[in-house]
Amino acid sequence: MNIDVQAAENEPHISKYSSPVQVSFVREVGDDLEQMISQLPGESLLDNRWTRLYEEKLGIQLQYDWIARGDVYGQKLGVSLAAGRIPDIVRVNPYQLRQLSNAGLIQDLSEVYQTYASPLTKSILEAEGSGPFDAATIDGKLMAIPETASSIESAQYLWIRTDWLEHLQLDRPETMEDVLEISKAFTERDPDGNGQRDTYGLALTNHLWDPVMGAVGLMAGYGAYPNIWIKDEDGRLVYGGIQPEVRKALQVLQTMYLEGQLDPDFSYKKGTNEARLIQNGNIGMLYGEQWTPFKIQSSRENDPKAEWQAFPILAESGKLAKVQLRTNTWQYFAVRKDYAHPEVIMKLMNLHLETNWGEHAQYETYYNDDSKAVWMLSPVTPFPGTKNLDAYRQIQEANRSGNLSVLQEEASAIQKRIEAYTEENVESGWGWKQTYGPSGALSIADGYERNGQLLYDQFTGGITETMVDRQIILNDLQLEAYLNIILGRPIEEFDLFVDNWLKLGGDQITAEVNAWLNTKTAMEH
């Protein structure tokens, strides 16, 4: 499957242009990226190892029409799209893709994909089936290239400060009831031993679906799956966010809030603000994806004894929790109608994947350099969906057999970091051990898969007609209703929200989603 770069110089998917080709993007930056660039001497967003590699290997010169931070980026992109002023290649969500396609501003990439995607790229982008491509296909034409991600990457874990468990002589949790008891104890029994009531049982942000410090993992403990489509007893698709199980989960969160187990100001705080409480040692538990350790490691700066451990998501006594997995492809690359080199997007993706995961990969130069996520310097960042689980399994197998020479580039780099921590106390290796170590998050993902606990989003059909106009309104309605209930509004407001959701387009979307299911089922038969 891997391609030898030298042997492939003549292949269309990785050949170099005879004279330089320029391509423009727009770019979002955040704290993480800016902080990393400040630690890379001689590199900037406009001139770095990736921009140089793309120019040297492919003859492609990258430019940015503009660069902006988070919220400003979203607003600026919205204005640009509405005005029809787009760069040569633009990363968009499914709604924006539909908008650009309807306005006739982008080109059909069906042939570009077939001709220019390398075998490695095709195997990675198509690994979870045709869903991402179906979602990018409008009127039978592939209007964008999906930057596919992996569903299993969105699996949630419960992260607990085990030094606090030990201090309070609490057992490790086995049920949802245990989790609630621990949260209460972490709030009321002074787990940090400083004589003050300044700790909270659970971290939460104002965006309840955040991948770290969100509420999705806790809700799954009550059989509630707030933002995926699931099947009911009759095999019809229903939206998880309006099911009665959500009501119970919201009531539990409301009790936790009213009892002071959540930061009283969480509903105003984004992840970066709530993370300060973790850094300052005020938080004992949170739900988060497998990369959570790199977010919570800051707690060890102020308190080197702070120790965290990943646990599986737990359900009520006597039940096995299902772990909701989002359809994780949410970004697409569209190409401006008049741009003369639409194949550039495929060439960039091919080289990105080849350089990091091909036969002659240089993972520690171009993907993760001394725990710095240098892959973020590239405007396109595709990756193999199961790469983290694959690396974990390789590392465990190599440790069992005692033969570390079998480790491929990424797994080898991770193993070195874990060893640096376990053998030489190099602190930067702590997060890697918590994710990839024998009892790290990925050992739990392995268990989720073996126990049949993974619950995939049952709708992979892209954006329906009514979603184009209504989905963002419905999403806002849902988040606002959930937050209000957690903050103390009567639980009956959930029933009111469900009625409104159905009336404001949810009924129509449910019909469209089931029409898609019926067509898909008929085609499979």
Side-chain angles (χ1 to χ4, degrees), residues 157 159 290 293 309-311 392 396 431-446:
Y157 310 89
W159 299 85
Q290 49 91 2
Q309 174 71 49
F311 292 86
Y392 161 77
Q396 298 318 308
W432 297 93
K433 178 173 177 278
Q434 298 304 316
T435 300
Y436 293 89
S439 58
L442 291 165
S443 71
I444 296 168
D446 209 25

Side-chain angles (χ1 to χ4, degrees), residues 43 324 481:
E43 295 189 74
Q324 88 156 38

Side-chain angles (χ1 to χ4, degrees), residues 164 167-168 184-199:
W164 285 12
H167 180 69
L168 297 178
K184 203 171 169 64
F186 280 178
T187 307
E188 296 171 0
R189 291 177 48 199
D190 191 23
D192 56 359
N194 69 353
Q196 296 170 25
R197 184 159 172 170
D198 58 355
T199 53

Side-chain angles (χ1 to χ4, degrees), residues 218-291:
L218 181 135
M219 290 185 149
Y222 296 96
Y225 310 104
N227 40 19
I228 63 171
W229 290 83
I230 55 180
K231 284 190 175 166
D232 66 10
E233 292 98 61
D234 303 326
R236 285 184 78 254
L237 291 182
V238 292
Y239 182 56
I242 60 170
Q243 302 311 307
E245 289 80 4
V246 172
R247 209 174 187 272
K248 179 160 191 187
L250 288 174
Q251 214 153 7
V252 167
L253 283 163
Q254 183 187 78
T255 302
M256 294 174 82
Y257 178 77
L258 297 175
E259 289 184 358
Q261 297 175 38
L262 307 178
D263 165 20
D265 300 324
F266 89 88
S267 63
Y268 307 109
K269 289 184 178 176
K270 289 185 170 178
T272 39
N273 298 335
E274 189 70 9
R276 291 201 186 104
L277 291 177
I278 296 173
Q279 185 170 7
N280 297 337
N282 305 119
I283 297 287
M285 265 193 307
L286 59 133
Y287 286 88
E289 292 179 4
Q290 49 91 2
W291 50 275

